[in-house]
Amino acid sequence: MVSMETAAEHERILREIESTDTNCIGPTLRSVYDGQEHGLFMEKLDVRIRNHDREIEKMCNHHFQGFVDSITELLKVRGEAQKLKSQVTETNRRLQDDGKEVSRQELKQCRVQQRNIATTIDKLTHCLPVLEMYSRLQEQMKAKRYYPALRTLEQLEQKCLPRAGQYRFCSIMAENIPKLRTQIRDTAMSQLRDFLESIRKHSDKIGETAIKQVHATICARTQRGLRFDIQLHICASHAEICQPVPGAQDLVDFSPVYRCLHIYTVLGLRDVFENYYRKQRRKQARLVLQPHSNMHETLEGYRRYFNQIVGFFVVEDHVLHTTQGLVNRAYVEELWEMALSKIVAALRTHSSYCDDPNLVLDLKNLIVLFADTLQGYGFPVTHLFDMLLEMREQYGEILLKRWNLTFRQILDQDNYSPIPVSTEQEFRHYTSQFPLQDPELEKLSFPKKLPFSEFVPKVYCQLKEFIYACLKYSEDLHLSSTEVDDMIRKSTNLLLTRTLSHCLQYAIKKKNVGLAELVQVIINTTHLEQSCHFLEEFISNITNVPPDTVNATKLYGTSTFKDARHAAEAEIYTSLNAKIDQFLQLADYDWLAAVQGGGALTASDYLIDLIAFLKSTFSVFTNLPGKVAQTACMSACKHISTSLMQLLLDPEVRQISMGALHQLNTDVQECESFARAGPVAGFQGDTLLLAFSDLRQLLELFVQWDWSTYLADYGKPTCKYLRVNPHTALALLEKMKEMSRKNNVFAQFRKTDRDRQKLIDTVIKQLRNLIAQHHT
């Protein structure tokens, strides 16, 4: 029984015999003979050989027909091969025969030619790209495609020409390359100059386009209701039709800048290009920022100025964002700071010439649009809005001047008479213009009269128009409602305290103003004063700021109209006294008149006329406040009393008779009768009579010749002639003494006259002693 190890070993050896090369089979066979059971191995080897023989036989049987076919084909090929061999032999023979006629020198020359042709083909292979590239370069130069031409030059110089070799045309090309670069550089620079000139000319249009774009945006916001606008009267410029407008890049071809930048970058001259571009643009900026001398005359001059500036900076902003480093943010900001200072200075100078508020308002709207446009491009515009606040003061002064003319025109054209209204429609027309609060007047039937004249509703409407004008300027200045409210109130206070106050003073103090007109001025200012809180509410309504807000500015209208009323009252007193003086100038007393024996004396004609004038005048005062009428009446009576006293004591009047004193006493009695009649309501008892008390006691003392009482009671509180001054009495007595002395020259021997003369001398002496005592 064969062991498993022996069988496996035999199998291994058989596999090695099958797979090992014949030259290396020795070691394998040695292992067979050295091993045991080699007879058994030989049996297995015979079995394996018989198996392989059977497989070979099977394979030969399978391929036998193919082998037969191959042999048949091979036999056919042998015949063809013989024929081909014969042809080759014949061809060789013929070549050998023909070659005998060619010399060795010719053969050598032919081989040289073949070698030259090969060399030429090789050189042409290197030169043709040079020629093709140079041809392409010429086409690019002709087509003015300079940047690709520059790239072609670079390839030609660095790659193609070195490969081509040292040829004359290559040398010529190499010599032309610097010239072509210079030509390209100069041409690009020329195009850049043309571009700079073009944008200088088109700056106006570029700026106009950019501003229209911002304006279109504002219009769109307004239509959507997103824009905060406190102004009730929308500016006409914002009512323009908003249409799409092209961008700045659509108006100007920026390719010359990019092309020139690329070309100079390739040439290694980028710094030169940047410096040149910035220098030229700075020059253009100075030209753009130089305003025309007559810019202030029309809004169009300002508009053109702003358009050019916006156009300039829109171009710079576009270059900043579309080129890498040609201009940087620091350079643009430096330009803008320089421009901003010049813009503000120019606007301050030129706007100062303007005296038309509408032009200032349009200019303000234009500046706001200008600022909003540049702010949209990232430029700071705070200084522009600060300048607009400065212009607000100028605008306010211009408004004050215009309203000064308006107020004066209203006051000059007014008839200073209550307004008659005959229909409800007329009544509502006036009450819609002025807030009249008078329930009693509304109850009256038509026709009726409003208490004030035309200038009250007109002035009130003009005050509101002024407030609207102030509000228009405050729009779009980025101010809070409180700031707008404060600005309007301060401006309105200036209008009230300066402009309107001066106009009212002018109307009150101008010549030929009658008492009736002054009375109407007082009535008018009273109603305007009462309307001030309505103006407060009006301002609060349009600014949305409650009137009771902390630190809110109060209107000074009440004090303004009160001052005007007081001035009118004082003017009434002055005018009334002047009129009284005109009557008193007609007084023609006979200071030497004798005492009339029988019949009562009558008052002087001038005084009767004066009393009649005062009665008619005070009847007009019924609509005045009671205190004003009472003061005017008291002032008139005091003035009459004082004037009559001055007539008595006039140094020009050296002699006065008792008859003259009786006539003056009669006139004073007429005045007292007028005072007792109560020409103006409101006086208590005989208060008005006190105006004549000094004159009354003096005349009574002389007419009654009651010197003993006067001298005895002088200085006592209960003295009957308490208001008689001893100096006054002495002066009048001396005038009577002079009269008595001259009239009694021939009657000095009559006892009565001598006694009277002594009595006068005695009283004079006593008065002098009295005066001396009190003086001591």
Side-chain angles (χ1 to χ4, degrees), residues 237-256:
S237 64
H238 286 174
E240 296 176 1
I241 298 175
C242 301
Q243 297 178 349
V245 290
Q249 65 274 11
D250 298 324
L251 299 175
V252 176
D253 179 18
F254 286 87
S255 60

Side-chain angles (χ1 to χ4, degrees), residues 107 126 230 550 584 673 686:
L107 182 60
H126 289 89
I230 63 170
V550 179
L584 290 172
S673 176
D686 295 335

Side-chain angles (χ1 to χ4, degrees), residues 437-696:
Q437 304 291 325
D438 193 344
E440 296 299 326
L441 181 62
E442 292 187 10
K443 294 177 183 178
L444 296 177
S445 59
F446 293 98
K448 54 188 175 182
K449 289 184 178 181
L450 301 179
F452 45 76
S453 66
E454 288 277 358
F455 97 63
V456 170
K458 287 182 179 179
V459 166
Y460 188 80
C461 289
Q462 286 301 319
L463 289 173
K464 292 171 67 176
E465 287 299 320
F466 179 86
I467 293 170
Y468 278 131
C470 294
L471 190 61
K472 286 181 182 179
Y473 192 92
S474 303
E475 185 191 17
D476 296 328
L477 293 185
H478 308 306
L479 300 173
S480 65
S481 299
T482 305
E483 290 174 319
V484 173
D485 182 84
D486 185 66
M487 186 180 295
I488 292 175
R489 289 176 181 273
K490 287 180 178 178
S491 298
T492 307
N493 278 335
L494 285 177
L495 180 72
L496 291 169
T497 57
R498 277 175 44 186
T499 307
L500 183 55
S501 176
H502 291 169
C503 289
L504 290 172
Q505 295 291 338
Y506 158 78
I508 291 168
K509 296 188 178 298
K510 67 180 180 180
K511 294 181 179 180
N512 303 322
V513 178
L515 289 171
E517 285 86 350
L518 291 171
V519 169
Q520 191 62 54
V521 167
I522 293 175
I523 296 171
N524 289 349
T525 51
T526 301
H527 282 86
L528 285 172
E529 179 185 346
Q530 294 169 356
S531 70
C532 285
H533 73 278
F534 291 101
L535 278 179
E536 294 262 9
E537 293 177 0
F538 174 73
I539 295 175
S540 298
N541 289 336
I542 63 176
T543 59
N544 295 320
V545 177
D548 55 352
T549 303
V550 179
N551 298 327
T553 303
K554 300 300 180 183
L555 291 185
Y556 300 148
T558 301
S559 60
T560 297
F561 296 123
K562 191 174 291 184
D563 292 344
R565 187 170 66 251
H566 290 163
E569 292 171 2
E571 194 65 23
I572 284 179
Y573 308 147
T574 302
S575 178
L576 190 58
N577 290 343
K579 196 69 177 176
I580 291 172
D581 288 338
Q582 292 178 7
F583 282 98
L584 290 172
Q585 287 175 0
L586 301 176
D588 187 18
Y589 286 103
D590 182 6
W591 298 112
L592 304 179
V595 177
Q596 295 184 8
L601 293 173
T602 59
S604 302
D605 292 339
Y606 85 91
L607 192 67
I608 294 174
D609 294 338
L610 173 58
I611 297 300
F613 164 75
L614 291 177
K615 287 181 179 178
S616 65
T617 298
F618 291 138
S619 66
V620 180
F621 286 12
T622 53
N623 292 326
L624 283 177
K627 184 179 178 182
V628 177
Q630 293 168 18
T631 304
C633 188
M634 178 61 78
S635 173
C637 291
K638 284 184 177 180
H639 188 67
I640 293 172
S641 176
T642 303
S643 299
L644 291 177
M645 182 72 78
Q646 289 174 351
L647 286 176
L648 272 177
L649 301 177
D650 186 359
E652 297 294 326
V653 179
R654 299 182 181 278
Q655 303 172 26
I656 294 180
S657 66
M658 185 59 72
L661 291 178
H662 281 286
Q663 180 61 51
L664 190 61
N665 185 52
T666 302
D667 290 343
V668 173
Q669 289 174 352
E670 184 69 21
C671 292
E672 290 172 334
S673 176
F674 165 74
R676 287 191 193 94
V680 172
F683 285 110
Q684 295 180 356
D686 295 335
T687 304
L688 196 56
L689 285 173
L690 294 175
F692 300 98
S693 59
D694 290 3
L695 191 58
R696 161 55 46 219

Side-chain angles (χ1 to χ4, degrees), residues 57-66:
E57 186 178 357
K58 286 180 183 179
M59 187 175 294
C60 288
N61 290 335
H62 178 73
H63 293 288
F64 177 74
Q65 185 60 42

Side-chain angles (χ1 to χ4, degrees), residues 108-156:
K108 184 179 180 180
Q109 184 178 358
C110 183
R111 287 178 179 174
V112 171
Q113 288 177 349
Q114 288 179 343
R115 189 166 55 251
N116 289 343
I117 289 172
T119 303
T120 301
I121 290 173
D122 181 63
K123 295 298 183 182
L124 286 176
T125 303
H126 289 89
C127 290
L128 280 176
V130 175
L131 297 174
E132 290 174 356
M133 192 162 289
Y134 196 79
S135 175
R136 189 194 314 162
L137 175 64
Q138 295 296 328
E139 292 176 359
Q140 290 170 342
M141 293 291 290
K142 187 175 182 181
K144 298 182 180 180
R145 297 169 56 210
Y146 298 113
Y147 182 69
L150 209 55
R151 289 298 184 188
T152 303
L153 271 177
E154 186 177 355
Q155 293 181 4
L156 185 65

Side-chain angles (χ1 to χ4, degrees), residues 8-74:
E9 179 66 19
H10 288 170
E11 187 63 31
R12 183 187 65 77
I13 294 171
L14 287 174
R15 284 200 299 273
E16 285 186 5
I17 292 172
E18 289 175 341
S19 60
T20 304
D21 188 81
T22 306
N23 297 327
C24 302
I25 201 171
T28 303
L29 293 177
R30 183 181 296 280
S31 66
V32 172
Y33 287 107
D34 290 342
Q36 299 177 354
E37 302 294 339
H38 61 275
L40 183 58
F41 173 75
M42 293 303 292
E43 290 177 1
K44 285 188 177 183
L45 181 61
D46 289 340
V47 172
R48 184 66 62 88
I49 289 171
R50 284 194 295 273
N51 288 339
H52 283 299
D53 288 341
R54 282 195 295 272
E55 289 177 3
I56 291 170
E57 186 178 357
K58 286 180 183 179
M59 187 175 294
C60 288
N61 290 335
H62 178 73
H63 293 288
F64 177 74
Q65 185 60 42
F67 175 74
V68 173
D69 293 340
S70 296
I71 294 298
T72 303
E73 289 293 328
L74 184 59

